[in-house]
Amino acid sequence: MLFKLLKAERMKLRRSPVWLAFLIMPIIPAFLGSANYVYQQAVLTREWYSLWTQHTLFTDYFFLPIMLGVYCAYIMRLEYANHNWNKLFTMPASRSMVFLSKLITVAVMLVLSQIWICALFVISGHIVGLTNPPWGTIITWCAFGTLGGMVMVSIQILLSMFLKSFALPVGLSFAGGLSGLVFLAKDLGHIWPYSLMAYGMNSNAPQELTQSGYGQFISVCVVYIIVFTVIGSIVAARRDI
């Protein structure tokens, strides 16, 4: 049944305007970050790493939180339209499974977004004159950023399930991204859920994830994802939506 629910979610998103956000929004921070790098090359001397800090400065605290907020709000908004919740809950599937299918769907969208962001980063690097991208490091940054982003997704799916407004969950996701910068500055980025994506991507922040901290980072993210998924599943099963 889970696979049928996932197929249904995919069909709903097939011609969705949300893909415009997926395509266009990552281009903006890529352009801004590349421009910053070009204008400050006298100071930013670490080539690919310096370019990455400029890209993620805009991506992790502004644009990607908004994108995730849009993804989660839209996928829930579809069910509020025309009382689709009632139709959905008549299917022979538990409410917790419905919640899980939406979480997995947005997780896939997050993975695709990270791949697109990674591609734009490499393209930008070549445009500004850099060569030999450190693929292993880039993939590691994006992989840990995806895991940290999944924590944000699990929270936003839960919020979007109860907030019928489309704009409010998106605004909360944007505010969460900004709060991540504050908690990173206070050396709490490794535990604050809205900091984990930027922390995992080694964004332009006082705190950076090193190899010695991989295990702790993965553990924290997995615990958060499980906790918010369980809460969402239980609440969805017991509360009228």
Side-chain angles (χ1 to χ4, degrees), residues 69-89:
V70 168
Y71 294 164
C72 296
Y74 183 83
I75 204 170
M76 287 297 185
R77 183 65 179 170
L78 289 173
E79 310 308 341
Y80 284 112
N82 301 317
H83 304 288
N84 281 348
W85 280 120
N86 295 333
K87 301 175 185 177
L88 188 62
F89 289 149

Side-chain angles (χ1 to χ4, degrees), residues 217-231:
F217 177 81
I218 293 172
S219 298
V220 170
C221 289
V222 170
V223 168
Y224 270 130
I225 293 168
I226 291 174
V227 167
F228 287 114
T229 300
V230 169
I231 291 174

Side-chain angles (χ1 to χ4, degrees), residues 141-152:
W141 287 335
C142 289
F144 281 109
T146 300
L147 183 59
M150 271 301 302
V151 176
M152 190 180 298

Side-chain angles (χ1 to χ4, degrees), residues 201-212:
M201 292 178 75
N202 270 357
S203 181
N204 188 4
Q207 285 180 277
E208 293 181 0
L209 179 63
T210 59
Q211 191 169 359
S212 61

Side-chain angles (χ1 to χ4, degrees), residues 14-26:
R14 183 173 297 171
R15 297 181 180 177
S16 166
V18 78
W19 294 112
L20 290 175
F22 166 82
L23 289 172
I24 296 173
M25 290 190 69

Side-chain angles (χ1 to χ4, degrees), residues 10 18 32 34 78 84 112 124 150 165 233:
R10 187 177 73 249
V18 78
L32 294 174
S34 298
L78 289 173
N84 281 348
L112 294 175
S124 300
M150 271 301 302
S165 166
S233 299

Side-chain angles (χ1 to χ4, degrees), residues 104-233:
I104 293 173
T105 299
V106 180
V108 172
M109 297 172 74
L110 169 60
V111 171
L112 294 175
S113 298
Q114 286 284 23
I115 293 173
W116 178 221
I117 288 168
C118 177
L120 287 171
F121 171 66
V122 174
I123 292 170
S124 300
H126 286 299
I127 290 174
V128 301
L130 301 180
T131 59
N132 300 319
W135 284 108
T137 303
I138 294 171
I139 292 172
T140 300
W141 287 335
C142 289
F144 281 109
T146 300
L147 183 59
M150 271 301 302
V151 176
M152 190 180 298
V153 167
S154 64
I155 299 172
Q156 290 299 134
I157 283 285
L158 182 58
L159 291 174
S160 298
M161 185 168 59
F162 298 110
L163 300 175
K164 295 183 180 181
S165 166
F166 179 84
L168 184 55
V170 176
L172 291 174
S173 187
F174 174 65
L178 293 179
S179 74
L181 179 59
V182 175
F183 278 83
L184 279 165
K186 294 182 178 295
D187 292 331
L188 295 172
H190 60 294
I191 58 173
W192 177 244
Y194 280 98
S195 297
L196 292 170
M197 182 170 64
Y199 185 55
M201 292 178 75
N202 270 357
S203 181
N204 188 4
Q207 285 180 277
E208 293 181 0
L209 179 63
T210 59
Q211 191 169 359
S212 61
Y214 285 177
Q216 179 184 3
F217 177 81
I218 293 172
S219 298
V220 170
C221 289
V222 170
V223 168
Y224 270 130
I225 293 168
I226 291 174
V227 167
F228 287 114
T229 300
V230 169
I231 291 174
S233 299

